[in-house]
Amino acid sequence: NDLWCGKIVAIFTFLRSMKKKNFSTHVFHRTIFPNILGHQSRVEAESGAEYLLLSVIHGLLNGECSPEIRLVGCSVLASPCRDDKMIKPCRRTCEALRKDCSHAFEAIEMAWPYFLDCDRFFASDQEGCFDPLAGLKAKQELALSSLSPEEPSTIIQFTYTSNSQMYSLLKRTAAKCAHICHVYSIGRSTEGRDLLVIEFTNNPGQHELLEPEVKMVGNMHGNEVLGRQLLIYLAQYLCSEYNLGNQRIQTIINSTRIHILASMNPDGYELASSEVEDNSERDLNNQEGHLLNGWTNGRSNAQNIDLNRNFPDLTSIFYRNRRSRHYRTDHIPIPDGYWFGKVAPETYAVMKWIRSLPFVQSASLHGGELVVSYPFDFSRHPQEERMFSPTPDEQAFKQMARTYADAHATMSNNDTDRCGASFYRNRGIINGALWYSFAGGMSDFNYLHTNCMEITVELGCDKFPPEAELYPEWKRNKEALLSFLESVHRGIKGEVKNTDGNGIKGATVSVRGIRKDVTTAEDGDYWRLLNPGTYIVTATAKGYSKVSKRVHLPHRMNKAGRVDFVLEKVLTFSALLQIWERFDPYNQFERFSEGDGGVERQEKPWWWNYFSQSGISPPTWLLRNV
């Protein structure tokens, strides 16, 4: 290219390897040394930790953010030159990359690479820069322009998606709707796959005062795949319809913060999908391949742990203490003994996620029946496998389950052919323990450990339906999914403040007659799901007075009522005591970085071996706690 010249020609090995893999790169093969990082020669650049990181980053991030990370990193190590002057890559490209990809580094506990510091090594458009992703963007735009304008405005391809395709689809959706959408990782699976969440709200990335937070989780059992696909379609639908001006979708997103974890068990899905493919290849005439495989392969994670039996059993603690006024029956702490058992990384990541955000309601999508179940899932008499075991919020849970079942095309119809279980006259909903009892479930944990109320949606008999069924299933469930998102706006919401007007974090909001309290979020706001009726609501906080209010919720109320509290500060004996903090692994994961010795005494992450065994100077700048 006549635009690019230089004193020293350096064609990096990884540039050639990227071209062999059909990665789109800029057509520049000439650079000048020293480069932006101060490397004096090609040999010095290729022997550095920066070069090694770019060589292995695809594997470390499990294919995420590739080839973008490598292209942008390459542009720093080998910037082109014009008239013997080096041209830096564009700062806006770096900033957009960091926004989209920082979650992937956080998921493997790796610091953002220093040489991708957008302020130090990149330039503004005014200074004269080049976009290292221009070629890649051009290809993507060309692919989009090939779509016929006569096709439907919201385009969803109703096929199964591999894990890498799912990650790519969610990231592309977030890029398309960056003003309302954001992707982030909550952790990694046993085999290192990302647990990627896509978020929808009118102010992505942060909690807004009085805006309820809803989460939807799919593919907890790796072989139950319909929920995973529906959530992927839902993400695409929300993005597209918002941009097209769909008033209902805009109202949902502008008033709600929605978090979608399409796959909680990507390792199990990998096994289940490979088994189905193998079965189909062996016998193309076997019409039951999907159905039979779906019941056996990939249900558990890669450690052979059933994730829906792996959460702390707080329900037994609730049953033991429910008759005592001295023990709380909500926000039950995790027993210390739980951590001595085998806790799956997927379970740990979700528990940490649940605790980190003030979720109000949730749905976990499963397969194997056609029904919505709600807590408790564990029987109040362990010997009874099928026993009605209601929570204090039985009526609110029934209403939540009814919202989904009634909006589903066939679920609430008593004439619908079920999958073996008898739900006669239940109209598609059932108490979980009355159906069958099990301990350590995610829904019970949500309810007893946090403010969040979660239902379990069983989407149908076939856990791994043929692709031809995906579009009909989307049509059957779309309205139910949207109605569930809307249903969070019921009951009451408000703020608990002190007399200075500041929100009180951790204040308790209780409802007389319902032995389950909710607590306020960081800024003092709260949400309480309630059915229509009259209630006495009380707000309390340590060191403050108690305030009660009488609240009436009419039947035709279509949004949550606003009930605020102002508490006066009072001096109590308990406020003077220093309370011993109980053991909690959530707050202990950075202890290794404390004390003398600093970096050398810190427990190194799994990826450190890539660098420590290479003979190069260890890149301590990749350690997050340095």
Side-chain angles (χ1 to χ4, degrees), residues 518-582:
V518 299
T519 53
T520 54
E522 194 76 28
D523 297 321
D525 48 344
Y526 76 92
W527 304 261
R528 185 62 169 96
L529 298 180
L530 294 169
N531 289 353
T534 301
Y535 304 92
I536 303 298
V537 184
T538 302
T540 59
K542 286 183 180 179
Y544 290 90
S545 60
K546 179 188 295 186
V547 176
S548 297
K549 293 187 177 184
R550 185 176 183 272
V551 176
H552 176 69
L553 300 177
H555 282 273
R556 295 189 177 182
M557 197 168 180
N558 57 9
K559 64 179 182 178
R562 180 75 181 265
V563 183
D564 295 331
F565 296 90
V566 177
L567 307 185
E568 294 185 1
K569 201 166 186 63
V570 295
L571 188 63
T572 61
F573 178 72
S574 60
L576 302 175
L577 297 178
Q578 182 179 7
I579 300 173
W580 184 261
E581 186 176 337
R582 49 181 295 120

Side-chain angles (χ1 to χ4, degrees), residues 7 49 87 152 198 283 310 318 339 346 378 410 556 563 583:
K7 296 178 180 178
I87 304 173
I198 186 166
D283 185 2
N310 193 231
F318 171 85
W339 301 107
E346 298 89 347
F378 188 43
T410 58
R556 295 189 177 182
V563 183
F583 170 72

Side-chain angles (χ1 to χ4, degrees), residues 287-535:
Q287 300 299 316
E288 298 181 351
H290 286 270
L291 184 63
L292 296 178
N293 266 296
W295 285 95
T296 55
N297 300 304
R299 174 183 173 89
S300 302
N301 77 339
Q303 298 169 302
N304 199 30
I305 294 175
D306 187 329
L307 299 180
N308 208 27
R309 310 291 188 276
N310 193 231
F311 285 81
D313 176 18
L314 305 183
T315 323
S316 295
I317 299 174
F318 171 85
Y319 290 145
R320 285 199 303 269
N321 298 335
R322 70 185 186 275
R323 290 188 178 89
S324 172
R325 299 184 63 181
H326 301 290
Y327 292 93
R328 69 184 309 164
T329 54
D330 56 80
H331 296 82
I332 299 173
I334 297 171
D336 294 351
Y338 168 75
W339 301 107
F340 295 104
K342 201 167 187 179
V343 182
E346 298 89 347
T347 310
Y348 179 83
V350 168
M351 287 195 293
K352 193 174 177 182
W353 181 44
I354 292 171
R355 287 166 55 110
S356 68
L357 294 167
F359 290 115
V360 181
Q361 75 177 34
S362 172
S364 178
L365 307 187
H366 290 248
E369 251 302 343
L370 187 64
V371 71
V372 178
S373 70
Y374 57 89
F376 286 124
D377 284 323
F378 188 43
S379 173
R380 53 183 171 167
H381 290 298
Q383 296 80 8
E384 296 287 341
E385 291 187 1
R386 292 179 174 83
M387 184 177 189
F388 178 57
S389 305
T391 68
D393 278 294
E394 165 71 9
Q395 296 307 315
F397 266 122
K398 284 182 70 173
Q399 180 57 42
M400 191 188 304
R402 174 84 24 238
T403 296
Y404 195 100
D406 286 352
H408 187 278
T410 58
M411 189 178 289
S412 64
N413 188 341
N414 279 335
D415 296 329
T416 299
D417 188 22
R418 307 285 170 173
C419 319
S422 175
F423 302 121
Y424 182 62
R425 291 182 180 171
N426 287 357
R427 291 180 49 230
I429 69 170
I430 192 169
N431 171 259
L434 182 59
W435 181 14
Y436 68 94
S437 172
F438 66 92
M442 184 166 68
S443 294
D444 284 10
F445 174 80
N446 270 273
Y447 182 70
L448 292 174
H449 190 63
T450 73
N451 293 335
C452 187
M453 297 173 63
E454 181 175 270
I455 59 172
T456 301
V457 181
E458 301 282 345
L459 293 164
C461 308
D462 195 342
K463 295 188 174 187
F464 207 135
E467 275 192 346
E469 287 298 312
L470 293 179
Y471 177 58
E473 286 292 353
W474 167 249
K475 289 200 297 182
R476 281 190 279 268
N477 284 276
K478 183 181 77 171
E479 178 58 33
L481 291 166
L482 297 179
S483 296
F484 179 79
L485 294 177
E486 292 170 324
S487 69
V488 72
H489 295 279
R490 61 190 175 91
I492 59 174
K493 64 180 180 181
E495 297 177 75
V496 180
K497 299 180 180 180
N498 58 26
T499 51
D500 295 327
N502 299 317
I504 302 174
K505 176 187 176 182
T508 298
V509 178
S510 58
V511 179
R512 184 181 297 175
I514 302 178
R515 203 175 174 193
K516 157 70 174 172
D517 301 339
V518 299
T519 53
T520 54
E522 194 76 28
D523 297 321
D525 48 344
Y526 76 92
W527 304 261
R528 185 62 169 96
L529 298 180
L530 294 169
N531 289 353
T534 301
Y535 304 92

Side-chain angles (χ1 to χ4, degrees), residues 166 170 173 181-186 195-200 213-218 227-239 253 257-264 353 357 359 362-363 365 474 481-482 485:
M166 174 183 68
L170 295 179
T173 300
C181 198
H182 170 64
V183 290
Y184 63 94
S185 173
I186 62 171
L195 303 179
L196 196 66
V197 175
I198 186 166
E199 165 201 341
F200 289 90
E213 310 232 6
V214 183
K215 61 183 171 72
M216 307 193 81
V217 180
R228 165 189 168 115
Q229 292 303 135
L230 291 179
L231 293 182
I232 294 172
Y233 304 152
L234 177 64
Q236 295 173 270
Y237 181 81
L238 292 175
C239 169
I253 291 176
R257 192 179 182 200
I258 303 161
H259 305 257
I260 297 173
L261 174 60
S263 181
M264 182 179 166
W353 181 44
L357 294 167
F359 290 115
S362 172
L365 307 187
W474 167 249
L481 291 166
L482 297 179
L485 294 177

